[in-house]
Amino acid sequence: MIFVPNLGSPSAKIYARYRTSQEGLTEEQVIQRSQDGLNELQEKKGDNLFKKIIGHFSDVASLVLLFAVLLSTYLAATGSEKWSQPLIIGSILVLNVAISLYQEHSAEKALDALKNLNVPESTVIRDGEHMTIRSKELVVGDLVILSGGDQVPADGRLLTANNLSINESILTGESEPVEKTAVDQEPTAEISLRFNEVFSGTDVIQGTGVMVVTAIGMETELGEIAGLLNTTEKQKTPLQEKLNTLSKKLTSVALAGGLLIFIIGFFFRGFELSSGLIMGVSLAVAAVPETLPIIVTISLSYGVVKMSKKNAIMRRMNAVETLGGVDVIASDKTGTLTQNQMTVTKYWTPNEQPAATAAKIDHDSPEFQLMRFMGLATDAQIKEVDGEKVEIGDSTELAIIRWLQKAQTTRAELEQEYPRVAEDPFDSNKKLMATLHKTPYGKYLLIVKGAIDRLPAELTNEEHRQVDQINQQFAKEALRVLSVGYALLDEKPALPLDATQTPVKLAGLIGIIDPPRPQAISAIKTAKRAGITTLMITGDHPETAKAIAVQMGIAQADAPVMSGQDLRQLSDEQLQRNIQKYTVYARVSPEDKIRIVKAWQANNSTVAMTGDGVNDAPALKAADVGIAMGITGTDVSKQAADMILTDDNFETIVAAVEEGRTIYQNILKAVEFLIGVNFAQLLLMIIAVAAGWGSPLLAEQLLLINVLADGIPGFYLSREPAEDNNMDKAPIKRKSSIFADGLAQRVAFRAAAFTILTLVIFVLGFFVLSDQNITFARTMLFLTLALGSMIDIYVIKSRQQVSPQTLISNSALNLGLATTMLAITLIAAVPGVREVFEFTGISGLAWLIVIISIFIPALLLELNKRYQLRKLRKEEPRTVRE
């Protein structure tokens, strides 16, 4: 039976504040307050399919292709052109939009997972009676009864708390249960310090209590997280931003070129309006790398498959390339950097030095004697249920049970020799517990366990000094300290047992901590070598957070720690200016985590955020790459994340970053491969029209080059292996141009080489090898441009000099190239097929010139690369970050 305080108690002011009473709300009050809404989370309405399609068609590259489709359709309808043009261009456009929609198909489900945390039913007091209602019908002012095993259905202020402890890890990230009280305290923004309040979605570990509902639905702390998920927008990835910028630049070039061609053709060359429009379509096709979005998607998909084999599941494909540019990993402490398992790591017995716990413990050692006292005064247990080990009890006591396992013993075995006959359960006010055991010698053993400053131990001044010294030493190492004492009694003491009444002899102290993951320490070192800063963001105490951070190599011993309270006193601008001084952030809220992520992003950093709790979900969504733990992570964190670690291993993140860097490099190689030829096509068209030679290539011929000769080989660039020393280079900065790192020079050189070569080939075919037969010249030009742009992929696919290994490292590419080159040759040479694309047969001499010419660009590009590499070694002797 739960006893509710009467109006004469200090709870009277709480009743008054929320307009309720010890009898609960009346039916009339419930009906009135129900108008404020249900106790449930609300979801932001997303765009419908039509709006999404319109959004993708508004992309710059899509608009250029859409213009080309409409224009070529008009020309085909008027008989000026064939229907093959709009059909081919339209198919490419539809395919690109379909792929983009597919990438969005895995819509956000984080709020659905949050809704699953809502408790279906609650026990309340209304009109003086206990009743069970649906939790979504709770209103502010309701009195809710809580007991062990329950989940809190709404936010509330405690009216009673009897040995009540609650696991708030979904909100704070800290696994240690919080002891609750009904006593008044000063208001604070820190959830973990609000001891007289309880929060929706948290779990009651033990004890009982009565709460008055203070907030429901979206007004709860859980609701605030849902609101953050609704309002936090995912930023475009750095590559998306760069490709959008590239598309805009290409479009500007295409528009300028189209206007130039129209002016030259219409005013100076006497072209008809329809001919000028045809040139415009051709130029639009030449300007847009139609297959680039598909190549990017295939590269990312390949990366997703490779990462899945390394225990990293990608929920959002675009995050694959973002990983390659990550220079900050902001990690939650508990369960991510640490093992999320409280462990006894140190112990001390009187007249001895503090020592680390042994891997295997001898039963005659002082450690075992101390362990035996701790184990007998413990209520936790680990038992097997249906073949699985189930942990029951407080996390601190479970640490003692695991300590017993090192000595190959259990609490049950200890109690066989020293059976428990009475106990005084742990009390949060006394901060002690006691157990009474019968010994094999007919006497009684009293054991008292708890806080050292409350233990009724008889100590001399010297012993007091020694205990204080050890206690402070353990505390500096972020260890939670427990003490234990004992007394051997001739007779059974009076019951009920009281832990504070009988003096005891101090047996010793133990230090408990959630220890770091060894793999995480190694991974942090690797990340540092790769130019990546690791941050610790936690809801834990600043001193505890710093001690762990120093131990893991995240921070120096003299490094400052930013608390949530400090952070909230800074404006966004102040935070951005100072954020890089800190690598450890403690006592932070979900809103604080988002601000930290955004402040680093504002400093041109690409941020990966790891986490496993509900409180991490908004920051996971705000980060460039959100990474959730697959084993310990909540459904909410997984749904908000871009990547899930199936092994909860921080080291897997670093391996994923390495894979991301490889994918990013391969996408840049594809950009280089496609854009160089596109610029050459633009220049070729403009120069040829200006010279009065007409269009050197038709729109469908340009599409054949862009889709077959450039597109298909480009697909296989996604399978390129990683470059040497991939993790010894600094990350690519978020705001750096896509043409950084020499790409602009290589693209310009390649465009110039192909422009000059194709102009020479066109002139030879048009004026020398034929009687100004433009179809003959187009056929030579097409073969040279298509085949030549495929062969030089071997120069592009490696940043180092071409070697035999370069030629054989990607068998899929070799097969794809051979097949595509054969197909292109047949299209341009086989009678009946070539006429469809307006090609013609060419002479043996023309074929010889084409065969020689297709190797010239690769030779020139390789010479340029070797020159640039020598130049780079002289100018930049070291590019690796220490």
Side-chain angles (χ1 to χ4, degrees):
M1 178 70 179
I2 301 295
F3 293 96
V4 182
N6 57 46
L7 287 172
S9 74
S11 300
K13 61 181 180 181
I14 302 174
Y15 289 131
R17 185 185 311 160
Y18 296 103
R19 293 177 291 124
T20 187
S21 72
Q22 63 182 353
E23 301 294 322
L25 297 174
T26 65
E27 185 177 352
E28 183 180 348
Q29 287 176 310
V30 171
I31 293 173
Q32 183 181 6
R33 299 184 189 190
S34 296
Q35 297 174 4
D36 294 334
L38 294 173
N39 178 34
E40 59 184 7
L41 303 180
Q42 298 168 3
E43 188 171 2
K44 179 184 176 183
K45 191 174 181 181
D47 292 334
N48 57 38
L49 181 61
F50 179 75
K51 284 187 177 181
K52 289 179 180 179
I53 292 174
I54 294 299
H56 288 296
F57 271 113
S58 64
D59 176 74
V60 176
S62 296
L63 286 175
V64 172
L65 286 178
L66 184 60
F67 167 75
V69 170
L70 296 175
L71 193 55
S72 58
T73 300
Y74 168 77
L75 294 175
T78 59
S80 302
E81 277 296 324
K82 294 185 295 185
W83 282 101
S84 59
Q85 280 192 4
L87 289 175
I88 294 173
I89 302 172
S91 298
I92 295 293
L93 178 60
V94 170
L95 182 61
N96 284 344
V97 172
I99 287 174
S100 298
L101 288 173
Y102 174 76
Q103 288 177 243
E104 288 185 355
H105 182 62
S106 56
E108 284 296 349
K109 296 180 182 176
L111 197 59
D112 289 338
L114 272 176
K115 288 179 179 178
N116 292 334
L117 293 174
N118 287 347
V119 189
E121 292 184 333
S122 300
T123 301
V124 299
I125 302 171
R126 287 181 178 176
D127 281 327
E129 295 184 4
H130 291 202
M131 61 181 68
T132 300
I133 66 169
R134 292 189 300 173
S135 295
K136 70 178 183 178
E137 295 173 355
L138 285 173
V139 297
V140 173
D142 259 326
L143 303 187
V144 179
I145 298 172
L146 302 173
S147 58
D150 287 349
Q151 195 175 75
V152 181
D155 285 5
R157 167 66 162 85
L158 287 168
L159 300 171
T160 67
N162 302 315
N163 198 28
L164 183 66
S165 65
I166 293 183
N167 184 341
E168 297 178 344
S169 61
I170 66 166
L171 295 178
T172 65
E174 300 310 311
S175 57
E176 190 71 13
V178 180
E179 296 166 9
K180 293 293 182 177
T181 176
V183 178
D184 281 341
Q185 67 174 87
E186 290 295 321
T188 175
E190 307 288 351
I191 291 177
S192 57
L193 299 179
R194 283 145 69 177
F195 302 114
N196 58 8
E197 296 180 49
V198 290
F199 307 101
S200 178
T202 59
D203 297 311
V204 180
I205 300 301
Q206 65 180 15
T208 59
V210 177
M211 62 175 254
V212 57
V213 174
T214 59
I216 61 172
M218 298 298 287
E219 301 302 317
T220 63
E221 295 292 337
L222 195 65
E224 286 192 22
I225 293 176
L228 289 171
L229 286 170
N230 280 337
T231 56
T232 302
E233 297 294 333
K234 196 74 183 180
Q235 292 191 3
K236 287 186 176 180
T237 69
L239 184 63
Q240 282 178 314
E241 294 173 349
K242 292 171 184 178
L243 291 178
N244 285 345
T245 301
L246 177 63
S247 294
K248 291 175 183 177
K249 289 179 179 178
L250 287 175
T251 303
S252 300
V253 172
L255 291 175
L259 181 61
L260 181 61
I261 281 182
F262 180 78
I263 292 173
I264 294 173
F266 189 75
F267 290 103
F268 297 99
R269 295 298 177 188
F271 287 178
E272 295 180 2
L273 182 61
S274 61
S275 298
L277 291 176
I278 292 172
M279 293 291 181
V281 172
S282 300
L283 198 65
V285 172
V288 179
E290 292 85 1
T291 56
L292 183 56
I294 305 173
I295 290 173
V296 169
T297 300
I298 289 175
S299 298
L300 297 178
S301 299
Y302 183 65
V304 167
V305 174
K306 289 188 70 177
M307 287 183 178
S308 68
K309 297 176 181 178
K310 298 180 179 180
N311 300 313
I313 306 299
M314 304 304 302
R315 292 190 65 252
R316 194 167 64 94
M317 280 199 300
N318 284 338
V320 175
E321 56 87 5
T322 311
L323 274 169
V326 162
D327 56 358
V328 172
I329 300 176
S331 177
D332 184 45
K333 176 182 74 68
T334 305
T336 306
L337 295 174
T338 61
Q339 298 174 22
N340 197 21
Q341 188 177 85
M342 299 299 286
T343 305
V344 179
T345 58
K346 281 197 171 182
Y347 73 96
W348 171 81
T349 55
N351 303 316
E352 300 288 342
Q353 292 297 316
T357 55
K360 189 175 181 181
I361 302 168
D362 188 273
H363 284 214
D364 294 326
S365 66
E367 182 176 355
F368 182 78
Q369 302 307 315
L370 176 61
M371 174 193 291
R372 183 168 55 179
F373 289 126
M374 286 285 184
L376 286 169
T378 295
D379 292 326
Q381 58 180 313
I382 301 175
K383 61 182 184 178
E384 197 165 299
V385 179
D386 296 330
E388 292 186 6
K389 289 186 177 180
V390 178
E391 297 182 340
I392 302 171
D394 176 79
S395 59
T396 301
E397 291 204 330
L398 284 168
I400 296 171
I401 298 298
R402 296 187 199 98
W403 191 27
L404 292 174
Q405 290 176 341
K406 289 185 176 182
Q408 298 182 333
T409 189
T410 64
R411 195 189 99 193
E413 290 175 0
L414 293 177
E415 289 183 350
Q416 283 181 359
E417 187 176 3
Y418 296 91
R420 184 184 298 191
V421 295
E423 63 182 65
D424 180 10
F426 179 81
D427 183 274
S428 56
N429 294 319
K430 292 188 292 187
K431 293 188 176 180
L432 292 172
M433 71 170 290
T435 58
L436 184 67
H437 304 264
K438 193 167 185 178
T439 72
Y441 318 106
K443 296 189 177 185
Y444 291 90
L445 175 65
L446 174 70
I447 304 174
V448 181
K449 173 169 68 80
I452 183 61
D453 59 335
R454 300 292 184 90
L455 194 74
E458 298 176 328
L459 302 174
T460 65
N461 289 336
E462 175 58 27
E463 287 171 336
H464 263 300
R465 186 196 64 76
Q466 190 178 18
V467 167
D468 287 342
Q469 181 182 353
I470 301 301
N471 189 33
Q472 291 175 16
Q473 179 182 332
F474 280 12
K476 285 180 181 178
E477 297 176 23
L479 298 173
R480 180 176 183 179
V481 182
L482 269 184
S483 65
V484 68
Y486 67 95
L488 199 60
L489 309 175
D490 293 327
E491 296 182 359
K492 187 176 181 179
L495 300 179
L497 201 63
D498 189 337
T500 63
Q501 292 303 307
T502 305
V504 295
K505 182 178 180 180
L506 179 64
L509 306 178
I510 61 171
I512 303 173
I513 197 171
D514 182 9
R517 292 174 177 266
Q519 306 97 323
I521 296 175
S522 172
I524 289 168
K525 290 180 181 178
T526 303
K528 187 175 183 180
R529 194 181 76 245
I532 300 170
T533 300
T534 302
L535 312 178
M536 177 187 287
I537 303 180
T538 177
D540 210 343
H541 190 278
E543 289 302 319
T544 303
K546 183 174 179 179
I548 293 288
V550 171
Q551 187 176 347
M552 303 196 73
I554 293 174
Q556 299 295 322
D558 58 349
V561 177
M562 179 176 283
S563 68
Q565 184 177 0
D566 296 334
L567 188 148
R568 286 187 283 275
Q569 292 175 354
L570 299 177
S571 67
D572 288 344
E573 292 74 17
Q574 291 172 322
L575 183 61
Q576 289 171 18
R577 286 198 301 269
N578 294 283
I579 195 71
Q580 293 174 314
K581 299 176 184 177
Y582 300 87
T583 56
V584 183
Y585 307 85
R587 292 284 195 221
V588 293
S589 68
E591 296 90 340
D592 297 333
K593 292 181 180 183
I594 293 177
R595 290 188 67 201
I596 292 167
V597 168
K598 290 186 175 180
W600 278 94
Q601 288 172 333
N603 281 278
N604 198 23
S605 287
T606 301
V607 181
M609 169 78 189
T610 75
D612 58 2
V614 172
N615 62 315
D616 297 316
L620 292 177
K621 188 175 179 183
D624 298 289
V625 183
I627 304 171
M629 301 296 110
I631 299 173
T632 60
T634 61
D635 287 342
V636 181
S637 63
K638 292 174 186 176
Q639 295 294 347
D642 303 298
M643 183 173 90
I644 299 173
L645 303 182
T646 60
D647 60 355
D648 283 17
N649 191 342
F650 190 85
E651 193 174 27
T652 302
I653 300 173
V654 179
V657 168
E658 182 173 10
E659 188 61 42
R661 288 189 175 189
T662 300
I663 296 299
Y664 187 86
Q665 289 170 355
N666 289 344
I667 290 174
L668 288 185
K669 292 172 186 177
V671 169
E672 178 180 350
F673 180 64
L674 298 176
I675 301 305
V677 171
N678 278 67
F679 275 121
Q681 291 171 352
L682 282 170
L683 293 171
L684 172 66
M685 298 281 289
I686 293 171
I687 294 172
V689 171
W693 303 335
S695 178
L697 289 171
L698 302 178
E700 55 264 47
Q701 294 169 349
L702 287 166
L703 271 174
L704 279 176
I705 294 173
N706 288 3
V707 174
L708 292 180
D710 293 344
I712 292 179
F715 297 157
Y716 294 104
L717 281 175
S718 64
R719 296 177 178 271
E720 277 301 299
E723 298 277 346
D724 293 338
N725 302 320
N726 200 15
M727 292 297 283
D728 289 333
K729 298 176 182 177
I732 297 173
K733 281 295 182 182
R734 183 184 197 96
K735 299 299 182 184
S736 64
S737 168
I738 197 170
F739 290 111
D741 196 26
L743 182 60
Q745 191 275 340
R746 295 194 298 273
V747 168
F749 187 89
R750 187 165 182 254
F754 271 105
T755 301
I756 296 171
L757 176 64
T758 51
L759 281 171
V760 171
I761 293 295
F762 187 80
V763 169
L764 284 174
F766 190 64
F767 292 106
V768 179
L769 300 179
S770 72
D771 188 15
Q772 297 190 11
N773 184 338
I774 195 167
T775 305
F776 185 98
R778 283 173 178 165
T779 305
M780 283 188 67
L781 173 56
F782 171 82
L783 287 167
T784 303
L785 185 57
L787 299 176
S789 67
M790 284 192 285
I791 290 174
D792 70 357
I793 198 171
Y794 288 103
V795 181
I796 293 171
K797 80 190 197 77
S798 173
R799 292 287 175 260
Q800 303 303 314
Q801 297 176 2
V802 173
S803 65
Q805 182 62 30
T806 308
L807 302 177
I808 63 173
S809 63
N810 192 337
S811 57
L813 173 64
N814 294 338
L815 181 61
L817 273 180
T819 304
T820 308
M821 291 178 76
L822 178 61
I824 284 175
T825 303
L826 293 176
I827 287 172
V830 175
V833 178
R834 64 191 181 195
E835 286 77 16
V836 174
F837 295 95
E838 299 193 30
F839 295 125
T840 188
I842 58 176
S843 63
L845 179 58
W847 273 108
L848 179 62
I849 292 173
V850 167
I851 291 170
I852 294 173
S853 299
I854 61 177
F855 293 98
I856 293 176
L859 178 62
L860 294 175
L861 289 178
E862 180 63 16
L863 292 174
N864 176 64
K865 182 202 292 184
R866 297 191 179 203
Y867 171 75
Q868 295 299 329
L869 285 172
R870 283 197 298 269
K871 183 179 177 183
L872 185 65
R873 292 189 189 103
K874 291 179 181 179
E875 295 178 355
E876 300 180 18
R878 190 171 185 82
T879 60
V880 178
R881 280 194 187 183
E882 296 294 337

